Each structure stands twice: as C-alpha cells, then as structure tokens.
C-alpha cells in the first residue's frame, strides 16, 4: 500500500473445494511422486463415495471437505496460480482459495482481472465467482477478516465486528442453560482465540466500539 499499490484484484473461486479437477491434480502429483501405491491411495481418497440427499454417488471432481488431506491437495492445485503470478511479476497474497493481487490503478486492476480469470478458467479448469470477485480500492475490500488501509495499517472489517458481536451474544444468552462459570470459560476461550488471530490490527478503537 505504501508503494502506491492501493487497488486490489480480489479473486474469489466458485465452490473451489468442490471443483478441483481430479485428472489435472493427479497429473501434477505424478510428476513429483514416483510411488504408484501413493498415487492410487490419493485417487481413491478423491473418488470416495459421497452421500448426498440420501443417495450414494461417486465423486467426479473436488476434494472431500473436512478431510485432512484436502487443504494440501487444494494448495497444490493453486500453486500453479502462484507460479503464474510470480512469473508475471505481480504483488499478491493468497490463502487457500482467497487471492488478492495489488496494483496501482483501477485500469490495471481490470486488465489483470481479465487476464487472471482467463488463466484460472482455461488452464486450471476452475470457475471465478463474478459476484464475489471485484476490482476496487484495497480499503473497500476485506481479506481474511481484515481491512487494509491505504497507509498499510490493518483494521477489522465491518463483517468481522458483526460476527464477533453475534458470537458473544450467543455465548452469553441467558437461556442457554449453562452455569455462570462455564459461560465465562467459553467466553474467555473464544475471546483469547479471536484476539490472537486479529492481533495485527490496531485494536484500541475497535475494542472500545465492541464494548458499546
């Protein structure tokens, strides 16, 4: 932000974990894994039967959500996107299927969005969610619960604050049937984790507003 890249290409992938192409993923893995037994196990993991609406069907694409191997396999797929963005010299940050590319103008953002979308959909066989993706000022978007100001300072996004207040209300709701000590314990556990995750944001003002 301080270098002038105050516009962001905010790319959101549509149903990413459900859309991973098995053949492309296995082809990528086979270049690094020589043991065919491991490849067979991964293929079986990917195509394991899926229970949907009371019916069992074989998974044709995507990685099992909640499976311990899925984040790793999904990251391997999007490593191709990382390498392509590096090759083009872009400044970017990606976490799982959330990707932000930083540029210096709205025109550059729109140009990059068109180009990157073409690469994702034609090369990676994935779909960009046009409704959730955008080209905008960085300060108008959120990334992993944070909002980034043009100065480079981190703050809480409005959605993060709303979700936090909602969760506190749920934990302290009088009709939950919990002992007072248990409520305090659960609240402390949540707040410790929440504050640790958002510790990079300037919190003083936010914490005052959250107490209101």
């Amino acid at each position: 932000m301080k270098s002038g890249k105050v516009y962001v290409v905010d790319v959101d992938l549509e149903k990413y974990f459900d859309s991973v192409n098995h053949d492309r993923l296995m082809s990528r893995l086979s270049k690094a894994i020589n043991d065919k037994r491991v490849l067979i196990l991964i293929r079986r993991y990917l195509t394991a039967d899926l229970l949907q609406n009371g019916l069992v069907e074989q998974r044709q694409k995507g990685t099992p959500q909640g499976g311990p191997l899925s984040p790793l396999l999904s990251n391997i797929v999007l490593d191709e996107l990382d390498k392509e963005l590096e090759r083009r010299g872009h400044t970017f940050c990606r976490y799982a299927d959330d990707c932000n590319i930083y540029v210096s103008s709205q025109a550059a953002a729109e140009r990059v969005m068109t180009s990157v979308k073409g690469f994702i959909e034609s090369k990676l066989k994935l779909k960009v969610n046009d409704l959730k993706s955008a080209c905008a000022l960085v300060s108008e978007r959120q990334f992993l619960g944070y909002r980034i100001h043009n100065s480079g300072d981190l703050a809480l996004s409005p959605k993060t604050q709303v979700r936090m207040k909602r969760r506190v209300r749920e934990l302290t709701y009088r009709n939950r049937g919990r002992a007072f000590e248990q409520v305090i314990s659960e609240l402390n556990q949540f707040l410790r984790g929440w504050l640790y995750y958002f510790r990079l944001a300037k919190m003083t003002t936010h914490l005052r507003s959250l107490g209101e």
Side-chain angles (χ1 to χ4, degrees):
M1 304 306 104
K2 292 178 180 177
S3 70
K5 294 183 177 181
V6 294
Y7 288 84
V8 63
V9 181
D10 190 351
V11 181
D12 183 89
L13 299 179
E14 189 172 299
K15 297 180 179 178
Y16 171 61
F17 288 94
D18 294 330
S19 305
V20 172
N21 185 286
H22 291 174
D23 292 334
R24 289 202 78 262
L25 174 57
M26 294 307 303
S27 175
R28 186 79 188 273
L29 290 172
S30 65
K31 294 176 182 178
I33 300 174
N34 295 321
D35 193 332
K36 291 185 178 180
R37 295 171 299 175
V38 175
L39 294 173
I40 290 171
L41 283 173
I42 294 175
R43 170 70 81 167
R44 288 179 178 173
Y45 171 81
L46 291 172
T47 59
D49 289 343
L50 175 68
L51 182 63
Q52 192 167 2
N53 299 323
L55 300 174
V56 176
E57 58 184 57
Q58 190 177 53
R59 196 186 308 270
Q60 302 297 324
K61 60 181 179 179
T63 59
Q65 290 199 37
L69 195 58
S70 292
L72 174 60
L73 296 177
S74 301
N75 224 25
I76 289 172
V77 173
L78 289 179
D79 183 62
E80 290 188 64
L81 175 61
D82 295 345
K83 295 295 190 293
E84 179 65 16
L85 295 177
E86 289 172 358
R87 187 186 69 80
R88 298 183 186 187
H90 287 308
T91 300
F92 69 96
C93 183
R94 181 182 67 79
Y95 183 85
D97 56 334
D98 289 326
C99 183
N100 279 359
I101 307 167
Y102 304 98
V103 295
S104 56
S105 70
Q106 180 71 22
E110 292 172 0
R111 191 166 56 247
V112 170
M113 174 67 85
T114 300
S115 177
V116 170
K117 180 180 177 181
F119 174 82
I120 290 172
E121 296 189 345
S122 63
K123 180 74 174 179
L124 302 183
K125 308 301 180 185
L126 299 169
K127 184 77 171 65
V128 173
N129 188 327
D130 293 326
L131 294 177
K132 293 185 178 181
S133 300
C135 299
L137 286 167
V138 175
S139 57
E140 296 175 355
R141 305 293 292 178
Q142 69 166 5
F143 186 57
L144 304 178
Y146 282 96
R147 175 158 286 183
I148 311 174
H149 295 303
N150 291 349
S151 63
D153 292 331
L154 295 173
L156 300 178
S157 74
K159 287 183 179 179
T160 292
Q161 297 180 55
V162 169
R163 284 195 295 264
M164 186 270 192
K165 289 181 178 181
R166 183 187 303 128
R167 182 57 179 155
V168 169
R169 290 192 190 100
E170 290 173 354
L171 290 172
T172 56
Y173 187 60
R174 292 183 179 180
N175 294 333
R176 284 184 70 223
R178 297 284 197 279
F180 181 73
E181 292 77 11
Q182 186 176 356
V183 171
I184 294 298
S185 176
E186 292 175 354
L187 184 62
N188 284 339
Q189 185 178 24
F190 166 72
L191 290 176
R192 276 196 299 269
W194 188 87
L195 287 168
Y196 186 78
Y197 178 83
F198 290 107
R199 68 190 185 282
L200 299 177
K202 292 192 172 182
M203 299 289 286
T204 304
T205 303
H206 291 302
L207 290 176
R208 286 202 193 102
S209 68
L210 288 171
E212 296 172 356

